[in-house]
Amino acid sequence: MLTLLRDLRRLRSGLALPRPERPGSLAIRHVDAGSCNGCEHELVLTSSPHYDLQRFGLGLVASPRHADVLLVTGTVTTRMREPLLTAYRAMPEPRRVAALGDCALGCHPLGTASELVGPVDALFPVDLRIPGCPPTPDAIAAALLELLDRPAGRRLGRT
Amino acid sequence: MTAVSGAEGYRERIGTALAGSWRFAGLHATAGGTAVRVLLAAPDGSTRLESVAAERATAPSIVDLVPAAAWDEREAHDLQGVAFAGHDPLRPLVDHDPDLGRWTVPVRGHDPYEVAVGPIHAGVIESGHFRFHVVGDRILHLDIRLFYKHRGLERAAEGATLEQGMAYVGRACAACTVANGVAYAHACEEALGLRPTAELRRARTILLELERIWSHLNDIAAVCAGVGLAAGNTRFAALTERARRLNAALTGHRFLFRTVAVAGSALALGPDELRAAREELTALREEAASGWRELAFNASFQDRLPEIGVVAAAAARRLGTTGPAARAAGVREDVRAASPRLAYDGFVAVVPERATGDVQARFEQRALELWQSFTLLDALLEHPLGPAVAERSDAERELGVGRVESPRGATSCVVERRGDRIERLRLRTGSYASWPAVAHAAADDLLPDFPLINKSFELCYACTDR
């Protein structure tokens, strides 16, 4: 394995591959706060061959502890309020919040008022809004790359 | 036409029906919790409702006759406040009781401990909580707590017009939006005394099969992901993407949102669109078959699948399991085989040769159904399609029922109306029916196998929670 990695590194330096345009990366933690599963299905496909967001340094991570960005889908339900806040509090600073999809943004959410807390920005500030019902993988990719390009975003992970 | 009875002998009538060929298809309390209704379905597609008054907010339980009614009764208690005499303990389902003892099954013995997973999971997965009772890696019992995503969609729809109701049903779940929408449309049309014309039947069947194709491709990718086989996962994820692009090309929406309406369809497909669609479907079919062959000969992948997560036929029937999960156990039941309101003439349900109800059988079932759907769609897309309507056939009534085979199984919708307004709407999806089987499948298996077992069902949380 070590030999393989060494060979790979030699190959890379030998080829003189261009450096990526975007420095840095973003680790994203997704939380479904009450979606219809549409945003999840599109988000999953951002890792599929047509989009392959990982090649830009955008990765979905398993724990909020590892994350720069909290990506929230759905109108926040009463039952997801606490788990969502727990995930948010578990993240290291600086942290960013992205609201994915119309429900998370508070556009025409459906349901019984007593079962819903409201849009994501009812709980904490939202840095990135990705509209759509659901947003296409293209739209999700473009929005997250824009977050990576933001001056504030570039500092992520370097503080 | 759904028969409705509500006199004496509620339990006896249900017991007799179930002893015959009738199957339990759902139970709900009416708005305000004054009565409880049980939906029964027969293999020939006919449906009937048995009602009983909930006097002093209590109705007789039928959970001893039909264990599949357990979740329905618990839901009716939490949401409509109906108690069920004989259902003891009546554990909370939609309500989240912080007291573990109230909603988990007590597990005693030498050294058992609990592993709590969720509601937030490690991947991009919907929210839900699993509480495993284990000894070492061996799962003794699994308590599943869902409804974290309960939005109160059914109650929100009460008072809306039948036409407006579609928005609530359609938003319950993106992955089953067509199946749920058609079940609702059928229910409304039965109440309105309408019957779809041949053109409307074809339009809806096309939409249902388009939904099944992307969904089954996604499920095959999910099982590969559950094993950690990136090659299979990415290959079928790419096919899922292409299937969604085809949906967008045909209907303007990748998930076919807003394509189903009550009493009509606006979907129009001209000869050029049809030709392009059939070509793409043929290409998808060939590519999927090639990917499937590759998986079939991948021994280290195939080694992971058999003899885990077993739901045998008897358990599937007892738990009310439906869809691919039931058929993989050899239960040859599919609502499509008796759907006069859709264009499935001559449809015969498939089951795998090795119908053992394990992960491998459920995996193979997806492929079998996929080939079937490609063949169905090719024939359905032969001739141009125009906008269509439903026409008057029967007298109007206060109540209607719709049953549709979603990618995840039989989905039933009951609509009770007052005038053109919804009085009560109940949507019981294939996912809702099959979740108890996931807990059954996990028992006796190893904790590290659970993600794979869960993926082999790939049930929705959204249309269960509503």
Side-chain angles (χ1 to χ4, degrees):
Chain A
M1 190 68 191
L2 281 174
T3 329
L4 190 70
L5 285 172
R6 194 193 58 210
D7 290 350
L8 193 63
R9 202 168 56 227
R10 273 190 195 151
L11 189 67
R12 279 200 172 150
S13 58
L15 282 172
L17 284 173
R19 289 189 148 272
E21 272 176 49
R22 295 182 172 85
S25 62
L26 285 178
I28 300 160
R29 175 60 253 186
H30 157 254
V31 174
D32 163 15
S35 77
C36 76
N37 202 7
C39 292
E40 280 71 21
H41 272 296
E42 293 294 54
L43 183 59
V44 164
L45 284 189
T46 59
S47 312
S48 74
H50 287 91
Y51 307 98
D52 191 17
L53 267 187
Q54 273 125 332
R55 71 198 150 112
F56 298 111
L58 293 169
L60 294 157
V61 293
S63 166
R65 294 272 193 230
H66 308 156
D68 305 307
V69 181
L70 186 67
L71 182 63
V72 187
T73 57
T75 309
V76 183
T77 62
T78 52
R79 291 164 182 79
M80 276 309 292
R81 183 179 182 277
E82 280 309 310
L84 179 61
L85 285 170
T86 307
Y88 179 71
R89 290 184 195 119
M91 289 173 69
E93 290 279 7
R95 60 190 161 191
R96 297 287 179 274
V97 173
L100 177 62
D102 286 352
C103 295
L105 296 173
C107 304
H108 311 296
L110 293 176
T112 304
S114 60
E115 307 286 4
L116 304 174
V117 175
V120 179
D121 63 9
L123 288 180
F124 33 64
V126 171
D127 302 280
L128 179 70
R129 294 162 188 275
I130 313 175
C133 182
T136 60
D138 262 335
I140 300 172
L144 289 172
L145 288 173
E146 189 266 323
L147 187 62
L148 190 60
D149 291 341
R150 275 188 205 178
R154 208 168 274 150
R155 283 199 303 274
L156 288 180
R158 289 189 187 172
T159 46
Chain B
M1 184 60 62
T2 308
V4 184
S5 45
E8 288 299 295
Y10 163 76
R11 277 176 53 86
E12 288 71 18
R13 283 197 310 277
I14 291 168
T16 312
L18 293 171
S21 61
W22 293 88
R23 301 258 184 272
F24 174 78
L27 173 152
H28 71 273
T30 54
T34 50
V36 168
R37 301 198 207 282
V38 172
L39 176 65
L40 300 169
D44 67 359
S46 48
T47 46
R48 62 191 256 204
L49 277 161
E50 299 289 347
S51 300
V52 69
E55 282 169 33
R56 288 193 297 278
T58 305
S61 171
I62 57 161
V63 78
D64 54 327
L65 304 172
V66 45
W71 276 35
D72 301 71
E73 290 192 354
R74 290 162 67 188
E75 177 184 321
H77 176 259
D78 290 355
L79 294 181
Q80 279 82 30
V82 178
F84 288 87
H87 189 148
D88 186 42
L90 189 61
R91 301 179 197 280
L93 183 81
V94 185
D95 285 347
H96 284 184
D97 198 316
D99 179 2
L100 267 182
R102 285 262 300 128
W103 68 273
T104 57
V105 170
V107 173
R108 293 186 204 89
H110 183 65
D111 217 16
Y113 65 99
E114 291 180 12
V115 178
V117 179
I120 302 175
H121 302 282
V124 179
I125 303 170
E126 295 184 84
S127 294
H129 180 70
F130 300 102
R131 192 162 280 266
F132 299 92
H133 304 262
V134 298
V135 171
D137 268 352
R138 182 78 56 191
I139 302 167
L140 299 181
H141 175 76
L142 164 61
D143 284 305
I144 298 178
R145 180 157 82 177
L146 301 181
F147 299 91
Y148 282 89
K149 297 164 59 125
H150 178 62
R151 291 149 283 162
L153 287 173
E154 290 177 357
R155 267 171 300 158
E158 287 168 11
T161 64
L162 295 181
E163 199 180 319
Q164 289 165 344
M166 187 59 84
Y168 298 90
V169 171
R171 193 70 77 80
C173 179
C176 312
T177 185
V178 174
N180 293 343
V182 173
Y184 173 74
H186 284 176
C188 290
E189 286 160 15
E190 190 183 72
L192 294 166
L194 301 175
R195 189 158 270 280
T197 56
E199 194 77 340
L200 182 54
R201 290 202 292 274
R202 188 158 67 97
R204 286 177 177 166
T205 311
I206 290 170
L207 294 167
L208 283 165
E209 292 309 313
L210 284 171
E211 181 168 79
R212 196 176 328 273
I213 282 182
W214 83 250
S215 191
H216 277 23
L217 288 168
N218 169 77
D219 291 1
I220 292 173
V223 168
C224 295
V227 174
L229 182 68
N233 176 245
T234 49
R235 189 155 187 189
F236 278 90
L239 292 177
T240 310
E241 168 66 24
R242 278 173 67 179
R244 280 198 208 140
R245 286 183 184 184
L246 176 64
N247 291 347
L250 290 176
T251 70
H253 198 280
R254 287 163 57 89
F255 291 86
L256 310 164
F257 278 13
R258 293 176 297 279
T259 53
V260 185
V262 176
S265 162
L267 185 64
L269 300 171
D272 294 342
E273 280 167 303
L274 290 178
R275 197 175 319 113
R278 291 176 77 195
E279 274 170 24
E280 175 64 354
L281 283 166
T282 308
L284 278 176
R285 179 189 203 147
E286 283 166 9
E287 182 67 22
S290 151
W292 183 258
R293 271 195 301 279
E294 213 162 272
L295 293 174
F297 289 103
N298 186 331
S300 63
F301 169 71
Q302 291 289 341
D303 271 356
R304 287 290 308 278
L305 310 180
E307 287 156 32
I308 58 165
V310 178
V311 182
R317 286 192 188 282
R318 181 166 46 83
L319 296 168
T321 313
T322 171
R327 290 190 285 276
V331 178
R332 202 184 283 270
E333 285 177 13
D334 191 313
V335 181
R336 289 179 287 176
S339 288
R341 286 173 183 266
L342 292 166
Y344 285 118
D345 309 329
F347 180 90
V348 179
V350 283
V351 296
E353 242 174 70
R354 191 185 150 280
T356 46
D358 58 6
V359 169
Q360 187 180 50
R362 282 190 291 278
F363 188 55
E364 285 182 17
Q365 181 67 26
R366 291 319 196 302
L368 292 175
E369 294 187 10
L370 202 50
W371 315 143
Q372 210 176 15
S373 291
F374 278 123
T375 307
L376 277 169
L377 261 183
D378 195 55
L380 288 163
L381 293 172
E382 224 168 301
H383 306 292
L385 182 82
V389 289
E391 54 192 11
R392 179 147 307 281
S393 69
D394 300 293
E396 293 203 21
R397 47 197 292 181
E398 296 301 295
L399 196 147
V401 172
R403 295 246 306 154
V404 166
E405 186 73 24
S406 88
R408 274 152 283 275
T411 292
S412 306
C413 186
V414 181
V415 172
E416 302 181 21
R417 67 177 181 126
R418 181 165 290 167
D420 70 338
R421 304 268 162 187
I422 296 170
E423 193 171 48
R424 175 80 169 97
L425 161 67
R426 176 90 199 294
L427 181 69
R428 190 184 198 266
T429 64
S431 289
Y432 186 99
S434 292
W435 268 111
V438 176
H440 177 85
D444 281 342
D445 279 312
L446 301 181
L447 192 55
D449 276 336
F450 181 73
L452 176 58
I453 294 170
N454 197 15
K455 287 286 166 200
S456 73
F457 287 91
E458 191 65 1
L459 303 176
C460 313
Y461 301 61
C463 61
T464 302
D465 297 358
R466 291 154 289 140

